[in-house]
């Protein structure tokens, strides 16, 4: 059974940075694309970024392109999201999920890690 555990969230000032991690187990990590999605209370899940199993292909939502970087370490079964130049509108509960693009939005995910951008 797949398990995904997100960490690294917190409170940061606008313009600051955070690095999220998602440790996984229970499946062959290197054969799966992985994504980050986020949710603001009262709103639906929003896809943020995806990375292919071999790490060669990445994709980003327009709202985060140029500020966020997704990466993975297949030896550690972990996917990361480096978030720079954070804005208040990035405040959300961030989840990692299996799959690439829109298909990740409805996929199994972990418990999430809260990111709050505020001065």
């Amino acid at each position: 059974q797949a398990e995904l555990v997100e960490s690294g969230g917190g409170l940061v000032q606008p313009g600051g940075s955070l690095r999220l991690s998602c440790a996984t187990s229970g499946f062959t990590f290197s054969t799966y694309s992985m994504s980050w999605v986020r949710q603001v209370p009262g709103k639906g899940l929003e896809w943020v970024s995806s990375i292919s199993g071999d790490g060669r292909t990445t994709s980003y939502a327009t709202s985060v392109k140029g500020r966020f970087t997704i990466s993975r370490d297949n030896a550690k079964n972990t996917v990361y999201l480096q978030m720079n130049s954070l804005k208040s509108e990035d405040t959300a509960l961030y989840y990692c999920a299996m799959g690439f693009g829109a298909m990740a939005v409805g996929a199994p995910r972990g418990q999430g890690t809260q990111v709050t951008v505020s001065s």
Side-chain angles (χ1 to χ4, degrees):
Q1 183 173 350
E3 184 175 9
L4 302 90
V5 180
E6 302 91 341
S7 62
L11 174 63
V12 63
Q13 292 186 344
S17 298
L18 282 174
R19 188 193 195 204
L20 306 184
S21 299
C22 174
T24 74
S25 61
F27 63 102
T28 307
F29 181 71
S30 62
T31 67
Y32 281 84
S33 296
M34 296 296 295
S35 295
W36 288 93
V37 299
R38 65 188 182 184
Q39 187 168 30
V40 175
K43 296 187 178 181
L45 285 167
E46 176 190 13
W47 171 75
V48 175
S49 181
S50 298
I51 187 167
S52 60
D54 61 8
R56 295 180 180 180
T57 302
T58 59
S59 185
Y60 298 91
T62 302
S63 58
V64 308
K65 199 167 188 177
R67 301 187 296 120
F68 290 10
T69 303
I70 191 171
S71 62
R72 65 190 296 157
D73 185 337
N74 284 349
K76 295 183 178 180
N77 294 340
T78 300
V79 60
Y80 305 97
L81 186 69
Q82 177 67 44
M83 305 187 297
N84 299 330
S85 302
L86 283 161
K87 305 175 181 180
S88 58
E89 51 262 45
D90 295 318
T91 295
L93 187 59
Y94 284 73
Y95 301 93
C96 66
M98 300 165 70
F100 198 99
M103 68 178 291
V105 174
R109 56 188 184 272
Q111 83 290 344
T113 187
Q114 178 67 40
V115 172
T116 302
V117 185
S118 175
S119 56

